[in-house]
Amino acid sequence: MANVAVYNMQGETVGTMELNDAVFGVEVNEHIVHEVVVAQLANKRQGTQSAKTRSEVSGGGKKPWRQKGTGHARQGSTRAPQWTGGGIVFAPKPRDYSIRLNKKERRLAIKSVLTSKVQDSKFFVLDELKLDEIKTKKVKAVLDALKVQKAVIVLPEMDKNVILSAKNIPGVITAQANLINTYDLLKYDAVVTTKAGVAKIEEVFA
């Protein structure tokens, strides 16, 4: 089992913690991680873009000039794609971009990224993260003590004080342990959580 240091909110090491290999010690599967990220980004697309083809643009019913004898190239309509105000060739139409992946693939991708963070020493565990009030400066101080700039703060449960305190820090987001996703874990350099957060992650993904 992998061991990680446990820090207090001042960034001092106060112990170590064993991590479950079923979550934090799997073989990293880059192919699955890539597939899940592609699917996640595709599923964010609204697919509502639309433009008109030549059959949908109004006007252009009359042939602009006779077929022969004018010196111009032959034209059938002023709404053909080569004309200003004409239709679009192969115009985009509303469509569904979503990609479906099964639950096992999504879970394996998350476990692969978590394992990678642990291997790269980008997984930080705090003994606790408690705030008596909403104070951005306190969360920033914790991250500075850990020498972390871009991070996902994983919480075991909803904590309004921490969420609102971290909201205004550039490059920092918060997420509940049961709602973490592959894209966010990859996008941010480090993962910061608590001992309770680790327990919740292991409970959900083991």
Side-chain angles (χ1 to χ4, degrees):
M1 283 190 172
N3 274 305
V4 291
V6 177
Y7 302 91
N8 60 19
M9 290 176 64
Q10 288 72 47
E12 301 162 344
T13 305
V14 293
T16 59
M17 183 178 189
E18 278 194 353
L19 301 176
N20 189 340
D21 283 345
V23 179
F24 298 97
V26 302
E27 185 178 344
V28 177
N29 190 324
E30 291 182 7
H31 174 67
I32 287 293
V33 171
H34 177 262
E35 280 198 344
V36 170
V37 169
V38 168
Q40 201 172 326
L41 293 177
N43 294 345
K44 283 184 176 182
R45 296 183 69 172
Q46 289 183 316
T48 54
Q49 76 279 33
S50 184
K52 291 181 179 180
T53 62
R54 63 182 294 170
S55 67
E56 296 167 316
V57 179
S58 61
K62 182 184 176 184
K63 189 173 174 67
W65 50 72
R66 60 196 175 93
Q67 181 82 346
K68 290 177 158 304
T70 62
H72 292 297
R74 53 194 164 188
Q75 299 292 332
S77 167
T78 56
R79 291 297 175 258
Q82 70 272 22
W83 284 74
T84 300
I88 304 297
V89 182
F90 306 127
K93 292 295 176 187
R95 56 168 285 199
D96 180 12
Y97 286 94
S98 63
I99 299 171
R100 293 189 66 184
L101 293 173
N102 65 47
K103 190 176 178 180
K104 275 187 179 179
E105 289 174 312
R106 296 197 304 270
R107 289 165 70 94
L108 177 57
I110 289 173
K111 290 193 279 190
S112 291
V113 177
L114 288 172
T115 298
S116 178
K117 293 292 185 188
V118 172
Q119 291 173 351
D120 296 339
S121 301
K122 297 289 186 181
F123 189 84
F124 298 90
V125 180
L126 299 169
D127 56 351
E128 62 176 6
L129 182 57
K130 287 186 177 178
L131 301 179
D132 298 328
E133 57 180 340
I134 298 168
K135 201 74 176 174
T136 299
K137 194 182 289 186
K138 289 186 177 180
V139 175
K140 185 73 169 66
V142 172
L143 296 175
D144 287 344
L146 296 173
K147 296 178 182 177
V148 169
Q149 289 183 322
K150 290 183 68 178
V152 180
I153 300 176
V154 181
L155 304 170
E157 56 192 15
M158 173 70 74
D159 188 328
K160 188 177 177 182
N161 285 355
V162 175
I163 292 170
L164 294 178
S165 297
K167 192 175 182 179
N168 284 337
I169 304 175
V172 175
I173 64 166
T174 55
Q176 285 178 240
N178 59 331
L179 298 175
I180 55 176
N181 65 76
T182 306
Y183 179 71
D184 285 342
L185 292 176
L186 276 178
K187 183 179 177 181
Y188 296 88
D189 294 337
V191 175
V192 177
T193 188
T194 61
K195 291 165 73 173
V198 171
K200 187 67 177 178
I201 292 171
E202 292 177 345
E203 179 189 326
V204 173
F205 296 101

